[in-house]
């Protein structure tokens, strides 16, 4: 247990997730026999990654022209920029929370192409700037709850995912949409470790993807998204665990069948396809009833759908213990 009798304040980000959970997730990967997972387990024994270069500080990232600003996290204030950008899950750049900020400087976010394919009438490769051009940017402050039971509040900048997906004219067969992250050994030397099967893939039912809360993020705190947070473009579904939001997206695939998703493929009993935040359905190895918010000392109760009850109709009639 990490709470001390005289805790430092603010609590160090590295102490937010109980080490047992980190270790559990890594041991889980090692048990699966994924190449390199054993290496990931050694932690401090790892060699410094090649071609690593630190991501730029906030002031160095271009400011974005942001229109509407809305707080979807009630009266909660955003987490500190430093916490949001230095406590990351981005396994392509390392499995420790501090590694992505140190290593993701090698990611080149221009030129960037997103391939759109599958069940849609307007497929094709799209240059990122052409992809972004029609969309007015807005700020949305959302809670982010990781499956590891830590959370934060993030002022994302972007636009509704529905506005993007509708441009590709999904056909009536498009029941799901799958997102693929970049997997490039040149820019991401650590993916050779094979901690996860890459590219990182995630997916949503099409009605989830078209829900007004589903968001495409290209920035945070009014500036371009830092690489470690998924630049240049990522998906945010605030009522789901963070793993549902693929970073650095290079392909959008519309499909009739439920697509394979990374964490679900390696451990379906631990990471459901839906990944909805649900305090009543524990992870097999830890409770999901409460969470540790970055910057706070005490755990707080986890809210159903992460406090976004407006998504409940998407799951009407579904047994959420079975479809977790
Ligand atoms: N996307 C890719 N490509 N690789 C990853 O390792 N981690 C996921 C998700 N998207 C991940 C990813 C997980 S587990 C979480 S909690 C969030 O990104 C973390 O986002 P953040 O680092 O911006 O907080």
């Amino acid at each position: 247990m990490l709470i001390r009798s005289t805790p430092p304040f603010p609590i160090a980000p590295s102490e937010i997730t109980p080490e047992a959970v980190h270790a559990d997730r890594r041991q889980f990967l090692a048990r699966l026999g994924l190449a390199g997972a054993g290496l990931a387990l050694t932690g401090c024994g790892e060699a410094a990654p090649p071609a690593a270069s630190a991501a730029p500080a906030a002031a160095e990232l271009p400011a974005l022209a942001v229109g509407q600003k809305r707080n979807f996290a009630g009266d909660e204030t955003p987490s500190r920029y430093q916490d949001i950008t230095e406590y990351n899950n981005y396994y392509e750049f390392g499995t420790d929370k501090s590694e992505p900020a140190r290593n993701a400087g090698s990611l080149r976010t221009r030129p960037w192409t997103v391939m759109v394919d599958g069940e849609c009438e307007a497929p094709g490769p799209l240059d990122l700037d052409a992809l972004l051009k029609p969309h007015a940017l807005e700020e949305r402050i959302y809670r982010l709850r990781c499956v590891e039971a830590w959370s934060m509040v993030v002022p994302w900048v972007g636009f509704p995912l529905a506005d993007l997906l509708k441009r590709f004219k999904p056909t009536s067969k498009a029941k799901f949409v799958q997102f693929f992250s970049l997997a490039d050994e040149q820019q991401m030397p650590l993916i050779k470790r094979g901690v996860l099967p890459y590219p990182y893939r995630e997916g949503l039912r099409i009605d989830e993807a078209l829900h007004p809360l589903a968001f495409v993020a290209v920035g945070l705190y009014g500036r371009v998204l830092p690489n470690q947070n998924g630049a240049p473009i990522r998906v945010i579904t605030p009522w789901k665990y963070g793993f549902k939001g693929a970073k650095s997206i290079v392909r959008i695939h519309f499909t009739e069948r439920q697509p394979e998703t990374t964490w679900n493929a390696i451990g379906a009993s631990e990471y459901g396809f839906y990944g909805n935040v649900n305090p009543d359905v524990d992870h097999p190895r830890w409770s999901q009833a409460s969470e540790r918010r970055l910057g706070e000392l005490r755990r707080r109760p986890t809210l159903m759908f992460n406090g976004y009850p407006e998504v409940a109709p998407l799951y009407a009639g579904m047994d959420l213990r079975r479809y977790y």
Side-chain angles (χ1 to χ4, degrees), residues 302-314:
T302 287
L303 305 173
M304 186 66 203
F305 297 125
N306 205 21
Y308 298 102
E310 55 269 55
V311 300
L314 290 170

Side-chain angles (χ1 to χ4, degrees), residues 88-92 146 152 181 200 229 234 242-243 245 247:
N88 298 103
N89 273 337
Y90 198 166
Y91 277 32
E92 291 88 330
C146 178
M152 48 188 159
S181 297
Y200 191 98
N229 290 94
R234 72 177 288 182
F243 70 86
K247 295 180 169 183

Side-chain angles (χ1 to χ4, degrees), residues 114-129:
V114 178
M115 175 59 79
V116 181
D117 60 14
E119 293 294 343
C120 63
E121 289 171 21
L126 209 54
D127 172 71
L128 184 70
D129 294 314

Side-chain angles (χ1 to χ4, degrees), residues 25 83-94 97 100 144-148 150 152 154 156 180-182 188 196 198-202 220 225-226 228-230 234-236 241-249 262-263 271:
R25 218 174 177 193
D83 288 342
I84 297 170
T85 61
E86 295 183 13
Y87 189 84
N88 298 103
N89 273 337
Y90 198 166
Y91 277 32
E92 291 88 330
F93 290 108
K97 296 285 181 280
L144 184 147
R145 169 62 156 82
C146 178
V147 72
E148 296 165 346
W150 54 266
M152 48 188 159
V154 186
W156 300 110
F180 292 74
S181 297
L182 180 74
M188 302 163 153
L196 290 178
Y198 300 109
Y200 191 98
R201 279 149 289 159
E202 256 311 328
L220 64 82
L225 208 55
Q228 63 270 30
N229 290 94
R234 72 177 288 182
V235 167
I236 301 293
Y241 293 120
F243 70 86
K244 292 299 295 179
K247 295 180 169 183
S248 309
I249 291 167
T262 296
W263 282 100
Y271 308 98

